[in-house]
Amino acid sequence: MSSEVVQKAKLAQAAAAIMNKMTTAQKNEALNTMANALIENQQSIIEANALDLERGRQQGTASSMLDRLALDEKRIVAIAEGLREVVALPDPVGELLEQFERPNGLRVEKSRVPLGVIGMIYEARPNVTVDAVGLCLKTGNCVVLRGGSAALESNRQIVSVLRAALEKTALPADAIQLIEDSDRASVNEMLKLNGLLDVIIPRGGASLIRNVVENATVPVIETGAGICHTYVDESAQFEMASDIAFNAKVQRPSVCNSIETVLVHRTFAESSLVRFAERFTAANVELRGCERTTALLPQAKSASDEDYATEYNDYIMNIRIVDDLDEALAHISRFGTKHSECIVTENADNAARFLQEVDAAAVYHNASTRFTDGFEFGFGAEIGISTQKLHARGPMGLPALTSTKFRIYGSGQIRG
Amino acid sequence: MSSEVVQKAKLAQAAAAIMNKMTTAQKNEALNTMANALIENQQSIIEANALDLERGRQQGTASSMLDRLALDEKRIVAIAEGLREVVALPDPVGELLEQFERPNGLRVEKSRVPLGVIGMIYEARPNVTVDAVGLCLKTGNCVVLRGGSAALESNRQIVSVLRAALEKTALPADAIQLIEDSDRASVNEMLKLNGLLDVIIPRGGASLIRNVVENATVPVIETGAGICHTYVDESAQFEMASDIAFNAKVQRPSVCNSIETVLVHRTFAESSLVRFAERFTAANVELRGCERTTALLPQAKSASDEDYATEYNDYIMNIRIVDDLDEALAHISRFGTKHSECIVTENADNAARFLQEVDAAAVYHNASTRFTDGFEFGFGAEIGISTQKLHARGPMGLPALTSTKFRIYGSGQIRG
């Protein structure tokens, strides 16, 4: 009489013992087989996706959301290609991290092992389903997927194709589990599955992540929320500061590593803020500012503390003029979410202080915060960007999906 | 109008910004100053401890508990010596873990940084207070201590001495905070202090740890519970198997890395179980066994599944006879807590399978599980033994008290 969630988590746990024994070659073959299967079965996936899209349209879902949900041949080819790229990445499992011998002759090895069973809780982007499966299986893990209900038909068909593909390989099909119960209770049940799930990774908006962090008893890797800043120091070059801040705000405002606020040193503001702001206004970025900013920029509205504490994910940006680096650091400490922060400066001492003192996953000198990304860092893959300090911090590649194990080789040693 | 817990956590958070800038030399000087202060003020600490002991006696506290609580000159000298030993250990903060350059010229460095503010929730051993302070401060962290109420007077005096010592150094006294509110509500308040505490480390009995894991929204490093096994394989040498199992059970039954159950291959049992068991019975270890065991050993009671799932922490041990390695692995998978597991065998294939397939922090071939310990592993210190798979697994030394930060050096790079 156990629920779908418990039943499927138990199947995944049983499969984890098999996954733990799979070689890199076996795992790679499975990923390639799954990639082929996605291409061969793309028609059935597109048909299932059409059902999700139709339901979404009937429910009045926003077109930007429908676009994230939509699959076509081109997108499925790209998703399959993503699996093949993971094949090409080195397998972290088995990597020997430490090795030492104790005076009593005990030989200790610490090496990477799979985490076990990973719970993924995410929203309505079906590509995340395949990405998560590829990354989890490559690292010898099983995955219990709980995607958004808006993508349920798509996810069902994708998982059916992927599981059927695994049947042709050494990997157990039960390594992939999809929770089809779209009631929120199924999420909350996953959050308490200590002993069956080893970790939960939430991916999605702020409210999804907050629900996971506040209710999970299973260990969580928190991802996401980014209130990021660019601080333009007194000695910043105008062109560089303008390019970096504009890129960080405008290139893709909806993502976590884009910025919400520019902090500007008063000397730079006096000489250049009007010209600096023009480019944003021309790009239809709504500006909100401190009192000194609104005095200089007629187009800027007044910014409140609430504005400074908001992740807009939109064409809105705060500007605050500060007297010095200390004031900038204090603002970031108060309003930042420890994701990505940048200083633009020609002053090496100020850059060093900023990079040392700002408490964030990624701290930049003279580069856009938009680079906080597993692919941009060269990891070849990304399961998310950790905004917590435990286990992994910043962009997470394959090693973040592993734990470690001590193996100790003795010849009868006992403790005295 | 904020509580003691919030007020003190905020003081710690403010101090964390200063701690983040301290050099290794400054931190070591502070640890030495604290060690000296403990010796100089031992009389005041012993007096405060006497109040705790007196209250404990009046409340009918067990003598074993009173012994853990008691401080005398010798113990204080040992505690101070522990601080000096931490001084001698390498400082992990600042260690460069990765460094790479991207094709666009971005230079990325990943290095160790302090976690920030660590919440310690523990029971009535005042030495943990000093140990935790030493390890947290050496790694540039602040610590919010919530010890057991039975040790409140002792902890108050110790923390007062340590904070006064810090006043003479570069480190902020506010890096050490003691929660004096002995109501359990103060613990539960700590568990929800996201944004003020970066991690909580519980140390204590099963119910304390369960409360933390079930109620914390702050990330937790779970420590503790150990249902550990020794599997005596068909080819095990009798003397070695006897020594290892006896050491793992009897040397210190109250700790997490002692064993609760011995699994014995049927061939070994047929030839040697009677002799194997005699040594335990002679040492007053109560034996409980499966049906085949009780048939061989008249002194053994019958063991239930509940027995196999109990961490006795006492002179009680289960014995179960198994047909083969698979049955031993299945038992450990069902009843183990993923702490420490051992196989005694002369068969290299079986040893390799056991070390690969058992999912635990530490897996031993031919050595006692009692070695799962930061000092025995040569880490020079231990903040606890992690029984979870995230962040750290097994004995945790100083590096487990750090996180990482990416520092990215650019020359105006923006994302295309």
Side-chain angles (χ1 to χ4, degrees):
Chain A
M1 250 294 294
S2 57
S3 71
E4 183 203 6
V5 170
V6 170
Q7 277 175 24
K8 290 186 172 174
K10 282 185 176 170
L11 291 172
Q13 191 184 44
I18 302 167
M19 285 298 295
N20 181 44
K21 292 189 264 190
M22 295 293 105
T23 64
T24 303
Q26 288 171 319
K27 294 184 286 189
N28 284 341
E29 194 218 333
L31 265 59
N32 280 323
T33 305
M34 291 194 295
N36 293 340
L38 286 174
I39 302 294
E40 286 159 18
N41 295 280
Q42 55 183 293
Q43 216 42 54
S44 73
I45 295 169
I46 290 168
E47 282 163 23
N49 185 247
L51 298 175
D52 284 330
L53 289 170
E54 178 54 29
R55 184 164 25 87
R57 269 183 226 106
Q58 282 173 10
Q59 294 173 350
T61 305
S63 63
S64 62
M65 290 294 289
L66 291 176
D67 178 60
R68 289 177 153 210
L69 172 58
L71 293 174
D72 56 19
E73 286 189 21
K74 204 173 142 195
R75 283 191 177 178
I76 292 174
V77 167
I79 288 170
E81 193 48 44
L83 283 177
R84 293 190 219 281
E85 284 167 12
V86 176
V87 169
L89 295 175
D91 182 357
V93 172
E95 186 191 345
L96 190 61
L97 298 174
E98 289 176 42
Q99 153 161 251
F100 48 88
E101 191 164 325
R102 300 293 304 149
N104 61 5
L106 281 183
R107 192 159 54 78
V108 182
E109 289 179 2
K110 178 182 176 182
S111 54
R112 289 195 190 275
V113 296
L115 280 168
V117 183
I118 296 172
M120 289 287 307
I121 297 175
Y122 54 107
E123 291 172 338
R125 290 170 59 181
N127 61 309
V128 173
T129 305
V130 181
D131 287 356
V133 166
L135 298 172
C136 289
L137 267 54
K138 172 82 185 205
T139 42
N141 294 293
C142 297
V143 61
V144 178
L145 302 157
R146 176 38 171 91
S149 55
L152 183 58
E153 297 300 333
S154 313
N155 285 337
R156 236 184 218 147
Q157 188 56 30
I158 288 170
V159 167
S160 165
V161 167
L162 297 179
R163 285 177 53 106
L166 287 191
E167 299 283 4
K168 297 181 218 160
T169 75
L171 271 61
D174 277 342
I176 310 173
Q177 300 290 337
L178 176 70
I179 303 303
E180 303 186 19
D181 179 355
S182 60
D183 195 279
R184 180 143 163 182
S186 66
V187 169
N188 291 330
E189 204 179 345
M190 281 178 73
L191 302 182
K192 312 277 189 195
L193 281 192
N194 299 62
L196 287 176
L197 300 183
D198 291 289
V199 57
I200 287 175
I201 303 178
R203 281 187 62 177
S207 76
L208 180 150
I209 290 170
R210 200 178 320 116
N211 179 49
V212 170
V213 168
E214 286 178 3
N215 294 299
T217 54
V218 174
V220 170
I221 302 181
E222 188 173 352
T223 67
I227 296 179
C228 306
H229 304 78
T230 298
Y231 168 55
V232 181
D233 197 20
E234 185 172 13
S235 66
Q237 293 181 28
F238 180 84
E239 295 296 338
M240 189 189 284
S242 171
D243 286 351
I244 286 174
F246 191 78
N247 181 257
K249 177 71 246 181
V250 172
Q251 195 233 2
R252 204 168 163 206
S254 63
V255 293
C256 57
N257 57 18
S258 65
I259 60 170
E260 311 303 339
T261 299
V262 173
L263 302 165
V264 185
H265 189 280
R266 64 178 164 73
T267 313
F268 185 96
E270 282 157 17
S271 66
S272 314
L273 187 60
V274 171
R275 189 157 58 107
F276 181 88
E278 273 167 11
R279 186 173 180 184
F280 290 91
T281 301
N284 290 317
V285 176
E286 179 188 322
L287 299 179
R288 302 181 187 179
C290 64
E291 275 186 31
R292 288 194 276 183
T293 298
T294 53
L296 286 170
L297 303 177
Q299 74 269 41
K301 299 179 188 174
S302 179
S304 65
D305 278 0
E306 203 188 318
D307 290 321
Y308 293 132
T310 300
E311 185 177 9
Y312 294 122
N313 285 327
D314 204 346
Y315 290 88
I316 307 173
M317 186 174 81
N318 308 309
I319 298 177
R320 182 170 174 185
I321 297 173
V322 296
D323 284 334
D324 51 26
L325 175 59
D326 286 311
E327 199 180 335
L329 291 169
H331 181 101
I332 291 169
S333 170
R334 180 167 171 206
F335 294 106
T337 54
K338 308 190 180 188
H339 191 297
S340 299
E341 306 291 351
C342 165
I343 183 172
V344 185
T345 189
E346 297 299 307
N347 180 320
D349 290 344
N350 284 1
R353 265 197 71 196
F354 190 90
L355 268 60
Q356 172 67 19
E357 295 183 26
V358 169
D359 182 17
V363 193
Y364 293 81
H365 177 210
N366 290 349
S368 168
T369 55
R370 288 279 294 114
F371 287 109
T372 304
D373 176 284
F375 296 93
E376 293 295 330
F377 275 21
F379 298 168
E382 183 192 281
I383 191 80
I385 297 173
S386 165
T387 52
Q388 70 183 34
K389 293 185 184 174
L390 287 195
H391 187 69
R393 194 179 193 201
M396 296 188 288
L398 293 176
L401 294 176
T402 66
S403 183
T404 60
K405 184 200 270 189
F406 286 105
R407 288 176 171 86
I408 303 99
Y409 301 89
S411 50
Q413 283 86 346
I414 59 173
R415 191 158 163 189
Chain B
M1 253 290 297
S2 57
S3 70
E4 183 203 6
V5 171
V6 170
Q7 278 174 22
K8 290 186 171 173
K10 283 186 176 171
L11 290 173
Q13 191 184 45
I18 302 167
M19 285 298 293
N20 181 43
K21 293 189 264 189
M22 295 294 105
T23 64
T24 303
Q26 287 171 321
K27 293 184 287 189
N28 285 341
E29 194 219 331
L31 264 62
N32 279 324
T33 305
M34 291 193 297
N36 293 339
L38 286 174
I39 303 294
E40 286 159 17
N41 294 279
Q42 55 182 294
Q43 216 42 53
S44 72
I45 295 169
I46 289 169
E47 282 164 21
N49 184 248
L51 298 176
D52 284 330
L53 289 170
E54 178 54 30
R55 183 164 25 87
R57 268 183 226 106
Q58 283 173 10
Q59 293 173 352
T61 304
S63 64
S64 63
M65 291 293 289
L66 290 176
D67 179 60
R68 287 177 156 212
L69 172 58
L71 293 175
D72 55 20
E73 285 189 23
K74 203 173 143 195
R75 284 190 176 179
I76 291 174
V77 167
I79 288 169
E81 193 48 43
L83 283 177
R84 294 190 220 280
E85 283 166 12
V86 176
V87 169
L89 294 174
D91 181 356
V93 172
E95 187 191 345
L96 190 61
L97 298 173
E98 289 177 42
Q99 171 170 36
F100 49 88
E101 190 164 324
R102 300 294 303 148
N104 62 5
L106 282 181
R107 192 157 55 78
V108 182
E109 289 180 3
K110 178 182 175 182
S111 54
R112 289 196 190 275
V113 297
L115 281 168
V117 182
I118 297 172
M120 290 289 306
I121 297 175
Y122 55 106
E123 290 172 338
R125 289 168 61 180
N127 61 308
V128 173
T129 305
V130 180
D131 286 356
V133 166
L135 298 172
C136 290
L137 267 52
K138 173 82 185 205
T139 43
N141 294 292
C142 297
V143 62
V144 177
L145 301 157
R146 178 36 172 93
S149 55
L152 183 58
E153 297 300 333
S154 313
N155 286 336
R156 234 183 220 152
Q157 187 57 28
I158 288 170
V159 167
S160 165
V161 166
L162 297 179
R163 285 177 54 106
L166 287 191
E167 299 284 4
K168 297 182 219 160
T169 75
L171 271 61
D174 277 342
I176 310 173
Q177 299 291 336
L178 176 71
I179 304 301
E180 303 186 19
D181 179 354
S182 61
D183 195 279
R184 179 143 164 184
S186 66
V187 169
N188 291 331
E189 204 180 344
M190 280 179 74
L191 301 181
K192 312 277 188 195
L193 280 192
N194 299 63
L196 287 177
L197 299 184
D198 291 289
V199 57
I200 287 174
I201 304 177
R203 282 188 60 178
S207 76
L208 180 151
I209 289 170
R210 199 179 320 115
N211 178 49
V212 170
V213 168
E214 286 178 4
N215 294 300
T217 55
V218 173
V220 171
I221 302 180
E222 189 172 350
T223 67
I227 297 179
C228 306
H229 303 79
T230 298
Y231 168 55
V232 180
D233 197 20
E234 186 171 12
S235 65
Q237 293 181 29
F238 180 86
E239 295 297 338
M240 190 189 285
S242 171
D243 286 350
I244 286 174
F246 191 78
N247 182 257
K249 178 72 246 179
V250 173
Q251 195 233 0
R252 203 168 164 205
S254 62
V255 294
C256 57
N257 56 18
S258 64
I259 61 170
E260 311 302 340
T261 299
V262 172
L263 301 165
V264 184
H265 190 281
R266 64 178 162 72
T267 313
F268 184 96
E270 282 157 17
S271 66
S272 314
L273 187 60
V274 171
R275 188 156 58 106
F276 180 89
E278 274 166 11
R279 185 173 180 184
F280 291 91
T281 302
N284 290 316
V285 176
E286 178 188 322
L287 298 179
R288 303 182 186 178
C290 64
E291 275 186 29
R292 288 194 276 183
T293 299
T294 52
L296 286 170
L297 304 177
Q299 74 268 44
K301 300 180 188 175
S302 179
S304 65
D305 279 359
E306 202 188 318
D307 289 322
Y308 294 133
T310 300
E311 185 178 8
Y312 295 123
N313 285 328
D314 204 347
Y315 290 89
I316 308 172
M317 186 173 81
N318 308 308
I319 297 177
R320 183 170 173 185
I321 297 172
V322 296
D323 284 334
D324 52 24
L325 176 58
D326 286 311
E327 199 180 336
L329 291 169
H331 181 101
I332 291 169
S333 171
R334 180 166 172 208
F335 294 105
T337 53
K338 309 190 180 190
H339 191 298
S340 299
E341 305 291 352
C342 164
I343 183 171
V344 185
T345 189
E346 297 298 307
N347 180 320
D349 290 342
N350 285 0
R353 265 196 72 197
F354 190 91
L355 268 59
Q356 171 67 20
E357 295 183 25
V358 168
D359 183 17
V363 194
Y364 292 82
H365 177 209
N366 290 349
S368 167
T369 56
R370 288 278 296 113
F371 288 109
T372 303
D373 176 283
F375 296 92
E376 293 296 329
F377 276 21
F379 298 168
E382 183 191 283
I383 191 80
I385 296 172
S386 166
T387 52
Q388 69 183 37
K389 293 184 183 175
L390 287 194
H391 187 68
R393 196 178 193 202
M396 296 188 287
L398 292 176
L401 293 177
T402 65
S403 183
T404 59
K405 183 200 271 189
F406 287 106
R407 288 176 170 87
I408 304 100
Y409 300 89
S411 51
Q413 283 86 346
I414 60 173
R415 190 157 165 189

